[in-house]
Amino acid sequence: MSQIRADHLTFSYDGSVEPVFENATFTIDTDWKLGFIGRNGKGKTTFLRLLTGELSGQGTLSKSVNVAYFPYQITTIQMQKTAADFLEELRKDCELWRVICELSELHENAEILYRQFNTLSHGQRTKVLLAILFSGDNDFLLIDEPTNHLDSQAREIVRQYLSTKKGFILVSHDRDLLDACTDHILVLNRKTIMVQNGNFTCWQENQQRRDQFAEAENEKHRKQIRKLRQAAKRTSEWAEKNERSKIGFDPVKEHDRCISTRSFIGAKTKKMQSRVKSTEKRIEREIGEQEGLLQDIEEIASLKMTPLPHHRNTLITLHECTLQYLTADKPVFKDLSFNIKQGDRIALHGANGCGKSTLMRLIMQTAGLLPADDSLVVSGTCETASRLIISYVPQDTSFLHGSIPEFCENHMLDRSLFFTVLRQLDFSRSQLTKDISDYSAGQKKKVLLAASLLTPAHIYIWDEPLNFIDVFSRMQIETLLETYHPTMLFAEHDIRFRENIATETICL
């Protein structure tokens, strides 16, 4: 077992106003199963790139082990080959027999190593790359979001697989995965970086206790500061009043005073002023102790949305609906029937490729919001209520580019309101001036979600809305949906989100 130590690590991108890290100091053991969490754009992937040596910053980042990074970057040429042909290009010490052994632990047949890589599903590609990653020796592994785009069954297999391993950093926003596979948590807080023993739930419980203590201490300091300021104000007023009484007096009303009394009054005033200065120093100490108490508290802002009522109770009807692509040998699904009524929040559940996204696009096409797909053959009926307003969040974010003002203009959104929602989703002011194409994957998804929340609609159709979204924003969105109860049709592989939000689950 060896250690990786960051000592006063500071890093910022060229042209960036705020540093990603500033004077970060912490130590991690390479034998740990380390979960790595933080808000989107806070620097999780940047830190992994610092560990690999791809980036360099100020301060020191020392390590005595080699590191390997997941996911591997697969080139266009490699996509046309089989994994067996290029696995040594990804990992120099990789041996085929060890990859086959790792694949068996991932419940996958070795024959996928001999199939052209671009013909494999997302889940199969992930399993192959994980098997290659864990086939070496004495490396500390950096695993960045291994379960994105994976269905529930594939996620469960990856979860069981990683729970048997050690010596890695796992970047993930999947709460169940972090609970099952980690024994330490590295957290990028708002201002600090912290390492803690335990899994995600342990960290969350401890963080809630720390937040409550910090808020209680902060309130105690605030009350003490108010009392001290009131006392200083009173003493200062008495001193000023006393000072004004030094010169001039009425010998009739103040018969006990004489010229020599002036020095006594001056001494008394000086004592009062000294007391004021002492109180002001105490106030400064209290303020100093108060500073930093709330710097790491995640203040999850309350989001808003505007669900619209419709004159019909049933908004969407599918009856014995079958979908099949012209180039496919069998239908995506067949004889599917269900209704979506106002207030329903229906989750589509099933393996990758079972037709969840296709079904959502069909509904959008039926409502006239997407062009018809000539490659898709539809039998049965799919009907939508007249004048139905749908707010749609697609799974893909690669089409996003340009500035935020241009995005608002293209989507007819109020710019100031859109900025407000993005700020509530933890965008910094400097990020709002960047091109959207430079955003992280999670930030791009937040742009689409913010646009959807600002769109009054009868029904919200969201296709894997939480891909790449940080755990804090996931809980923020859960709270929003539980508050407003919009009518929804969504697909999401986050089990906790689906269980908390869905009123009904349809398995395809």
Side-chain angles (χ1 to χ4, degrees):
M1 181 181 69
S2 57
Q3 292 185 333
I4 295 174
R5 178 172 177 79
D7 190 17
H8 297 288
L9 180 65
T10 300
F11 177 83
S12 60
Y13 288 102
D14 292 339
S16 178
V17 178
E18 300 174 351
V20 181
F21 303 108
E22 188 170 18
N23 292 322
T25 299
F26 56 90
T27 301
I28 56 180
D29 287 342
T30 56
D31 205 34
W32 288 351
K33 303 159 70 167
L34 185 68
F36 194 11
I37 62 174
R39 287 278 196 176
N40 292 129
K42 278 292 183 184
K44 298 183 294 297
T45 301
T46 298
F47 177 67
L48 299 188
R49 292 173 68 190
L50 287 167
L51 280 174
T52 61
E54 184 180 348
L55 298 173
S56 60
Q58 298 175 344
T60 59
L61 183 60
S62 58
K63 62 183 189 296
S64 57
V65 292
N66 295 322
V67 297
Y69 179 80
F70 173 95
Y72 294 103
Q73 295 300 312
I74 307 300
T75 65
T76 305
I77 295 175
Q78 290 170 339
M79 289 292 287
Q80 309 299 322
K81 298 180 179 180
T82 68
D85 291 332
F86 64 78
L87 56 86
E88 289 185 3
E89 298 173 20
L90 301 182
R91 193 171 175 87
K92 292 181 180 179
D93 60 346
C94 187
E95 298 181 63
L96 182 60
W97 69 271
R98 298 192 65 174
V99 176
I100 294 173
C101 292
E102 295 296 328
L103 277 177
S104 67
E105 293 184 36
L106 285 161
H107 302 185
E108 196 62 63
N109 196 296
E111 62 90 15
I112 65 172
L113 293 172
Y114 303 95
R115 286 163 50 187
Q116 196 166 299
F117 197 75
N118 60 4
T119 65
L120 303 180
S121 68
H122 283 297
Q124 289 171 328
R125 293 178 191 179
T126 297
K127 291 175 183 178
V128 168
L129 297 182
L130 281 174
I132 294 173
L133 182 73
F134 280 95
S135 65
D137 287 321
N138 302 321
D139 283 356
F140 188 61
L141 307 180
L142 315 178
I143 308 172
D144 197 354
E145 296 282 4
T147 57
N148 276 327
H149 302 297
L150 298 188
D151 58 47
S152 298
Q153 183 179 3
R155 286 185 178 216
E156 180 59 31
I157 292 172
V158 170
R159 185 182 299 120
Q160 292 176 2
Y161 177 74
L162 290 179
S163 66
T164 65
K165 305 295 183 180
K166 65 179 181 178
F168 59 78
I169 292 180
L170 172 63
V171 178
S172 179
H173 303 305
D174 187 322
R175 290 162 282 185
D176 287 336
L177 182 67
L178 290 168
D179 273 347
C181 303
T182 62
D183 55 23
H184 287 77
I185 295 290
L186 174 63
V187 188
L188 295 183
N189 292 315
R190 304 193 74 86
K191 295 292 183 181
T192 63
I193 296 179
M194 180 181 70
V195 179
Q196 180 187 298
N197 187 23
N199 59 18
F200 174 79
T201 298
C202 292
W203 168 82
Q204 187 179 30
E205 292 172 352
N206 289 334
Q207 187 63 34
Q208 288 173 349
R209 285 193 286 268
R210 280 191 293 267
D211 289 350
Q212 291 170 358
F213 175 78
E215 288 170 348
E217 284 293 296
N218 187 63
E219 183 59 29
K220 183 176 74 175
H221 286 303
R222 286 174 58 190
K223 288 180 179 178
Q224 184 67 10
I225 290 168
R226 283 198 298 269
K227 290 179 181 178
L228 290 172
R229 281 182 172 153
Q230 290 170 0
K233 183 180 178 182
R234 285 195 305 267
T235 306
S236 180
E237 288 173 351
W238 291 340
E240 290 176 7
K241 183 178 179 182
N242 212 47
E243 182 69 12
R244 288 195 299 269
S245 69
K246 279 202 311 186
I247 301 174
F249 61 92
D250 188 338
V252 176
K253 293 182 178 179
E254 300 176 270
H255 56 83
D256 57 341
R257 282 192 56 177
C258 61
I259 294 296
S260 60
T261 312
R262 186 184 301 177
S263 59
F264 168 75
I265 294 174
K268 186 176 180 182
T269 301
K270 186 177 180 181
K271 189 175 181 180
M272 287 182 178
Q273 290 173 338
S274 176
R275 188 182 302 170
V276 171
K277 289 181 181 179
S278 175
T279 305
E280 288 174 347
K281 288 181 180 179
R282 284 189 61 192
I283 291 172
E284 290 176 3
R285 284 201 304 272
E286 287 287 341
I287 292 174
E289 292 176 7
Q290 185 183 17
E291 287 179 355
L293 283 172
L294 305 182
Q295 65 176 355
D296 282 336
I297 290 183
E298 288 289 348
E299 295 179 354
I300 299 179
S302 298
L303 298 171
K304 295 182 180 179
M305 63 192 310
T306 314
L308 298 176
H310 197 276
H311 63 275
R312 285 187 57 183
N313 187 42
T314 302
L315 303 183
I316 296 172
T317 300
L318 274 81
H319 181 65
E320 296 184 355
C321 189
T322 299
L323 301 184
Q324 183 170 350
Y325 285 99
L326 291 174
T327 56
D329 297 330
K330 58 182 181 180
V332 181
F333 57 78
K334 60 182 181 180
D335 299 332
L336 180 65
S337 300
F338 68 91
N339 296 327
I340 302 179
K341 298 180 180 180
Q342 292 195 64
D344 289 344
R345 294 191 298 280
I346 294 181
L348 297 178
H349 179 52
N352 292 125
C354 69
K356 300 185 293 295
S357 298
T358 305
L359 176 57
M360 293 181 184
R361 289 196 297 271
L362 173 65
I363 293 172
M364 295 291 290
Q365 293 165 15
T366 304
L369 300 175
L370 285 179
D373 187 350
D374 295 333
S375 65
L376 188 65
V377 179
V378 182
S379 62
T381 59
C382 176
E383 298 177 349
T384 60
S386 61
R387 299 179 181 179
L388 185 67
I389 300 174
I390 300 175
S391 180
Y392 176 56
V393 174
Q395 185 180 141
D396 180 40
T397 61
S398 60
F399 65 92
L400 291 173
H401 61 84
S403 66
I404 292 294
E406 290 171 347
F407 181 88
C408 292
E409 183 177 349
N410 294 337
H411 292 78
M412 295 180 289
L413 298 170
D414 183 283
R415 186 188 304 182
S416 61
L417 287 177
F418 193 69
F419 279 179
T420 299
V421 176
L422 290 181
R423 290 283 289 152
Q424 291 172 333
L425 287 168
D426 205 56
F427 275 66
S428 66
R429 296 189 186 279
S430 61
Q431 289 168 337
L432 298 177
T433 61
K434 294 181 180 179
D435 191 283
I436 300 177
S437 60
D438 294 330
Y439 286 172
S440 68
Q443 289 171 325
K444 288 179 180 179
K445 184 66 83 171
K446 286 181 179 181
V447 168
L448 296 179
L449 285 170
S452 179
L453 297 182
L454 284 178
T455 304
H458 297 119
I459 182 171
Y460 295 81
I461 297 181
W462 289 357
D463 192 357
E464 297 194 18
L466 301 186
N467 265 353
F468 302 104
I469 296 289
D470 60 75
V471 290
F472 307 103
S473 297
R474 291 184 183 215
M475 293 185 284
Q476 186 179 18
I477 294 168
E478 282 181 15
T479 302
L480 167 76
L481 299 178
E482 290 170 343
T483 301
Y484 285 88
H485 305 291
T487 304
M488 294 188 72
L489 176 68
F490 68 94
E492 179 51 56
H493 295 303
D494 186 315
I495 298 173
R496 292 196 195 183
F497 181 86
R498 193 169 66 241
E499 290 177 347
N500 292 339
I501 298 304
T503 58
E504 181 182 351
T505 299
I506 294 176
C507 294
L508 298 181

